[in-house]
C-alpha cells in the first residue's frame, strides 16, 4: 500500500502554488507524472552532473503553450525538472512514457519563472539526498519500479501509476506531443534538415547514422544525423563561423578551437578523399542505411564526450540547441555547451512515411525537382531509375547508375583538358567532382563520351584562345554557377558506370560518365 501520510500534488497544483510565492521561498512537493524528453547526463561547470526531463499528467492542458509566465493561469503542457547529483550514475534514465514518482521536489522561482529542481544522491550537509525518485515502465503493467534512488522507497500508489500509463497512451495523439509543434503556439525551434538556416539555434529529431573521432584533430567527434530530408545546396564559396546570435548564451572558446580545426574540411559519411572514392565495398549492402536524405555532420569537442551523453549509431535522438556553420558550401551542425541530447527516442513515423514515399516516387533530391532548378543535361536512358551517390558508393561494381547531382569542381584547368593522343589527335581527359544530398564523388569523362557530353565539341589544343575554348569555358561556367543562397545551383542528370581497375595485386573503383550530353 502507498504511504498514507504522503501527499501528492498534480502538475497543475505544483505550478499554481509555485506562481503564488516570492522568489525567496522554496517548497518541497511530491508528484507523480509521465516522463517525456529526458536528456542524457552531462557535466555541470561544478562538480555535479545533471539531466533534465519533462513531466505531464491529466491536469496539464494541451491548448496553453505559454511556458514561464508568472500568471498561474498560464499552465504549461509539461513541467521541466532539472536533476543534479555528484554521481552521474545515480541520476534517473527514463524513456518517454515512463511514470516517475518524485519525493521532495524543490519548487522555486528563478528570474520570475517557476523552476523545479531535484537534488539527489549523498549531500555533505545532510548525509542523504533531499529528493528521491522511482521509475515505472510505461509499456507494461508491472506494479514494481524498475529503477529507484533508494532501496527503502515506500510502496507506490499502483492505481495512480496505472492511470498515468493509460493517459500517456492517450496523450500520444494530443497536439502538445507533436514533435514539430504544428499546434498553435507550439515549439518553433524544431527544424527538419531541409529547413535549417545559418546563424540560428534549433532542435532536431533525427537518426544517428554513424559516428567517429575525426582524424587529425584534438578529440573532435563527428556524428552523421538523418531525418530523410536534404540540406539545401549552398554556394561552394560560402564559409561561415559559428553563430553567436543568441546573446544570452555565453561563448565557449573551445567551440572555436574545434572550428579552427574543421574550417576547411567537408565531411561525408563515406569520408571523401582527394584521390576520389576508390574503395571497393566489402560484404553485402547495408539495407538498414537510408539511401536518400542528407547525412548532416554534427561536431563536438572532447570536453562534451561524457559516457552517457553520446548517442550511438542506429539510435533516434532529439538534439536541443544545435548550432551551425558552413564550410565551403556544406552545412554542418555544432554542439555547444548548451546543447543537450534526448536519447532513446522512438522512430518518428511521419519521417519514416515521408522517406518511404520518396523511395517509392524515386525522388532522390528535393532541391533538384521542377520549380527549384532547370536540368542542364539529357541522357540516353530517360526511363532508368535514379540513385543517390550514397547508394552508388554502397554497391559493388560493375554497376550502372543514373544520378541527379551538382558539379562542384572540374579538373584539370580548361587549357589542359585536351591532351595529345595517337596520330596527333587530341583527347578529352576531364574529372568532375559531383555532390548530391547524400555524398560526394569524383567521376571521369573522356573519349567519345566526353565529346557527347560537351555536345560534339571536337577536342583540340586549348592552350591558345579559340572559339572552341570559349564554348567549353561557357559550358563549364554554366555547370559551376551558384552565386547566392537564393539561387539554386544547376542540377544535372548524369549516367555513371562504376567498374574495377586492377593493378598488380591492388584493385580500385573507377567512375565513368556515359550516355549524357549538355542541352
Amino acid at each position: 500500500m502507498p504511504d498514507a501520510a504522503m501527499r501528492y500534488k498534480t502538475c497543475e497544483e505544483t505550478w499554481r502554488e509555485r506562481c503564488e510565492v516570492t522568489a525567496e521561498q522554496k517548497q518541497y512537493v511530491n508528484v507523480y507524472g509521465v516522463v517525456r524528453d529526458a536528456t542524457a547526463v552531462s557535466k555541470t561547470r561544478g562538480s555535479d552532473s545533471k539531466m533534465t526531463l519533462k513531466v505531464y499528467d491529466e491536469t496539464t492542458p494541451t491548448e496553453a503553450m505559454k511556458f514561464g509566465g508568472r500568471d498561474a493561469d498560464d499552465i504549461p503542457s509539461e513541467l521541466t525538472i532539472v536533476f543534479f547529483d555528484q554521481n552521474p550514475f545515480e541520476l534517473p534514465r527514463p524513456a518517454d512514457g515512463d511514470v516517475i514518482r518524485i519525493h521532495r521536489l524543490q519548487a522555486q522561482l528563478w528570474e520570475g519563472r517557476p523552476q523545479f529542481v531535484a537534488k539527489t544522491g549523498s549531500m555533505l550537509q545532510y548525509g542523504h539526498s533531499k529528493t528521491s525518485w522511482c521509475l515505472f515502465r510505461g509499456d507494461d503493467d508491472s506494479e514494481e519500479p524498475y529503477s529507484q534512488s533508494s532501496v527503502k522507497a515506500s510502496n507506490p500508489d499502483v492505481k495512480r501509476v496505472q492511470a498515468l500509463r493509460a493517459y500517456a497512451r492517450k496523450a500520444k495523439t494530443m497536439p502538445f506531443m507533436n514533435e514539430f509543434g504544428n499546434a498553435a503556439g507550439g515549439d518553433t525551434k524544431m527544424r527538419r534538415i531541409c529547413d535549417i538556416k545559418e546563424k540560428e539555434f534549433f532542435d532536431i529529431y533525427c537518426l544517428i547514422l554513424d559516428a567517429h573521432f575525426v582524424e587529425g584533430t584534438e578529440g573532435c567527434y563527428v556524428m552523421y544525423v538523418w531525418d530523410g530530408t536534404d540540406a539545401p545546396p549552398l554556394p561552394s564559396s560560402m564559409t561561415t563561423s559559428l553563430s553567436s546570435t543568441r546573446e544570452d548564451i555565453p561563448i565557449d572558446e573551445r567551440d572555436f578551437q574545434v572550428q579552427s580545426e574543421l574550417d576547411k574540411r567537408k565531411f561525408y559519411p563515406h569520408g571523401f578523399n582527394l584521390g576520389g572514392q576508390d574503395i571497393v565495398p566489402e560484404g553485402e549492402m547495408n539495407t538498414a542505411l537510408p539511401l536518400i536524405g542528407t547525412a548532416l555532420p554534427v561536431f563536438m569537442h572532447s570536453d562534451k564526450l561524457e559516457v552517457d551523453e553520446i548517442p550511438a549509431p542506429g539510435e533516434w535522438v532529439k538534439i536541443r540547441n544545435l548550432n551551425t556553420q558552413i564550410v565551403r558550401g556544406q552545412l554542418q551542425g555544432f554542439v555547444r555547451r548548451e546543447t543537450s541530447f534526448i536519447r532513446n527516442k522512438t522512430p518518428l513515423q511521419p519521417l519514416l512515411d515521408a522517406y518511404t514515399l520518396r523511395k517509392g516516387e524515386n525522388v532522390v533530391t528535393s532541391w533538384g525537382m521542377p520549380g527549384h532548378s532547370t536540368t542542364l543535361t539529357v541522357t540516353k536512358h530517360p526511363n532508368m531509375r535514379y540513385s543517390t551517390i550514397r547508394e552508388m558508393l554502397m554497391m559493388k561494381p560493375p554497376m550502372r547508375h543514373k544520378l541527379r547531382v551538382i558539379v562542384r569542381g572540374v579538373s584539370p584547368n580548361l587549357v589542359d583538358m585536351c591532351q595529345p593522343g595517337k596520330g596527333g589527335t587530341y583527347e578529352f581527359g576531364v574529372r568532375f567532382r559531383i555532390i548530391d544530398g547524400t555524398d560526394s564523388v569524383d567521376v571521369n569523362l573522356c573519349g567519345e563520351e566526353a565529346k557527347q557530353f560537351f555536345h560534339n565539341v571536337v577536342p583540340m589544343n586549348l592552350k591558345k584562345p579559340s572559339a572552341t575554348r570559349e564554348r567549353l569555358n561557357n559550358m563549364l561556367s554554366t555547370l559551376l554557377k551558384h552565386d547566392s543562397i537564393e539561387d539554386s545551383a544547376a542540377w544535372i542528370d548524369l549516367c555513371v558506370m562504376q567498374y574495377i581497375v586492377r593493378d598488380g595485386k591492388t584493385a580500385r573503383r573507377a567512375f565513368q560518365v556515359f550516355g549524357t550530353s549538355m542541352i
Side-chain angles (χ1 to χ4, degrees):
M1 296 293 293
D3 190 340
M6 194 66 68
R7 167 77 168 93
Y8 293 97
K9 295 184 178 180
T10 65
C11 291
E12 178 185 8
E13 290 174 326
T14 302
W15 178 267
R16 288 188 186 278
E17 292 181 15
R18 182 67 304 227
C19 289
E20 295 171 356
V21 300
T22 64
E24 292 75 21
Q25 294 176 302
K26 293 180 180 179
Q27 293 176 331
Y28 292 94
V29 299
N30 307 311
V31 65
Y32 275 93
V34 182
V35 176
R36 184 174 185 239
D37 282 2
T39 67
V41 175
S42 62
K43 286 286 188 181
T44 67
R45 287 189 167 182
S47 59
D48 290 343
S49 295
K50 71 173 184 177
M51 60 86 64
T52 66
L53 56 80
K54 297 178 181 180
V55 297
Y56 63 91
D57 62 15
E58 305 91 337
T59 66
T60 48
T62 61
E63 66 276 3
M65 294 289 184
K66 300 175 183 177
F67 184 86
R70 184 87 189 259
D71 191 339
D73 291 330
D74 290 342
I75 303 170
S77 54
E78 301 150 322
L79 303 185
T80 299
I81 300 172
V82 186
F83 281 79
F84 294 94
D85 200 308
Q86 289 187 337
N87 183 352
F89 300 101
E90 295 297 325
L91 290 166
R93 287 161 174 77
D96 281 6
D98 284 352
V99 175
I100 190 169
R101 185 188 74 180
I102 307 175
H103 285 177
R104 296 180 298 278
L105 174 66
Q106 179 178 309
Q108 61 189 36
L109 283 179
W110 177 257
E111 295 183 351
R113 298 172 58 176
Q115 185 184 68
F116 305 96
V117 177
K119 295 182 178 180
T120 65
S122 299
M123 302 179 68
L124 295 178
Q125 61 269 45
Y126 298 102
H128 63 278
S129 64
K130 283 184 178 180
T131 306
S132 63
W133 51 267
C134 293
L135 282 173
F136 305 85
R137 295 198 186 280
D139 56 3
D140 63 28
D141 295 321
S142 173
E143 298 181 359
E144 298 296 326
Y146 72 87
S147 182
Q148 58 193 48
S149 60
S150 172
V151 296
K152 298 180 180 180
S154 59
N155 294 331
D157 185 339
V158 175
K159 290 184 178 180
R160 183 64 183 138
V161 172
Q162 297 290 21
L164 285 172
R165 282 171 171 159
Y167 183 70
R169 289 190 287 270
K170 178 183 177 182
K172 290 181 179 180
T173 63
M174 293 183 178
F176 79 100
M177 294 291 284
N178 187 310
E179 291 291 350
F180 291 99
N182 292 331
D187 184 359
T188 59
K189 287 179 60 180
M190 187 66 71
R191 297 285 186 271
R192 304 289 295 273
I193 289 177
C194 62
D195 296 324
I196 295 173
K197 302 292 191 299
E198 192 263 329
K199 293 186 178 180
E200 73 169 353
F201 286 78
F202 58 92
D203 301 342
I204 185 172
Y205 198 114
C206 56
L207 172 67
I208 307 295
L209 295 182
D210 196 8
H212 57 80
F213 284 95
V214 179
E215 185 177 353
T217 67
E218 295 294 329
C220 177
Y221 196 72
V222 59
M223 298 176 295
Y224 298 98
V225 306
W226 173 93
D227 70 0
T229 64
D230 300 327
L234 302 170
S236 56
S237 60
M238 185 174 183
T239 295
T240 69
S241 61
L242 289 175
S243 168
S244 57
T245 54
R246 282 178 48 171
E247 297 179 356
D248 58 324
I249 292 183
I251 300 301
D252 192 325
E253 292 300 324
R254 291 168 296 186
D255 293 340
F256 292 96
Q257 293 172 9
V258 176
Q259 179 204 3
S260 66
E261 296 174 338
L262 304 173
D263 59 2
K264 294 182 180 180
R265 300 175 65 173
K266 302 200 307 187
F267 289 82
Y268 296 95
H270 288 84
F272 187 80
N273 59 74
L274 295 179
Q277 286 285 358
D278 57 2
I279 300 173
V280 180
E282 298 179 359
E284 296 298 322
M285 182 175 174
N286 181 5
T287 57
L289 187 67
L291 304 178
I292 300 172
T294 294
L296 178 72
V298 174
F299 301 95
M300 70 175 71
H301 50 65
S302 57
D303 292 327
K304 285 286 287 182
L305 297 176
E306 303 294 341
V307 173
D308 284 337
E309 189 171 12
I310 308 306
E315 187 175 343
W316 283 86
V317 298
K318 181 192 285 186
I319 307 177
R320 284 188 186 146
N321 286 327
L322 195 62
N323 199 199
T324 59
Q325 70 172 10
I326 298 171
V327 174
R328 293 191 298 164
Q330 184 187 46
L331 185 70
Q332 300 177 351
F334 233 93
V335 172
R336 302 289 291 272
R337 182 174 56 83
E338 303 77 15
T339 305
S340 60
F341 296 96
I342 301 169
R343 297 188 55 188
N344 300 314
K345 299 290 284 185
T346 58
L348 202 57
Q349 195 58 43
L351 299 184
L352 298 179
D353 292 343
Y355 172 61
T356 300
L357 181 63
R358 284 190 69 177
K359 285 199 303 181
E361 297 182 350
N362 199 212
V363 181
V364 292
T365 169
S366 58
W367 296 97
M369 297 298 292
H372 286 283
S373 65
T374 302
T375 302
L376 300 179
T377 61
V378 294
T379 73
K380 291 183 178 180
H381 307 280
N383 297 322
M384 187 176 178
R385 69 174 289 273
Y386 287 97
S387 301
T388 61
I389 294 178
R390 181 187 301 144
E391 180 179 3
M392 180 176 74
L393 295 178
M394 290 169 58
M395 302 184 74
K396 290 184 176 181
M399 191 71 67
R400 294 187 172 213
H401 313 270
K402 184 178 177 182
L403 310 175
R404 178 157 284 190
V405 296
I406 292 174
V407 179
R408 272 290 185 248
V410 179
S411 64
N413 294 328
L414 174 63
V415 295
D416 296 320
M417 281 185 180
C418 296
Q419 295 295 327
K422 296 180 180 180
T425 61
Y426 281 80
E427 296 180 357
F428 278 111
V430 185
R431 173 172 286 186
F432 286 158
R433 178 160 295 176
I434 58 174
I435 68 165
D436 64 5
T438 66
D439 219 311
S440 174
V441 72
D442 284 351
V443 295
N444 299 316
L445 183 61
C446 56
E448 292 299 318
E449 296 293 351
K451 290 176 61 177
Q452 177 181 319
F453 183 88
F454 291 119
H455 209 60
N456 295 322
V457 172
V458 178
M460 60 178 295
N461 185 354
L462 298 176
K463 296 187 181 298
K464 297 180 180 180
S466 65
T468 298
R469 193 174 87 171
E470 184 66 21
R471 183 180 176 190
L472 278 174
N473 183 63
N474 292 336
M475 287 181 168
L476 295 176
S477 297
T478 302
L479 286 174
L480 294 168
K481 185 178 181 180
H482 192 184
D483 296 331
S484 66
I485 300 176
E486 291 76 18
D487 298 325
S488 182
W491 290 84
I492 63 171
D493 288 345
L494 202 65
C495 290
V496 176
M497 67 176 76
Q498 61 165 316
Y499 52 92
I500 297 177
V501 177
R502 303 189 184 277
D503 181 13
K505 296 182 180 180
T506 63
R508 60 183 179 84
R509 277 198 289 183
F511 300 90
Q512 175 73 43
V513 176
F514 74 96
T516 307
S517 62
M518 291 192 66
I519 297 174

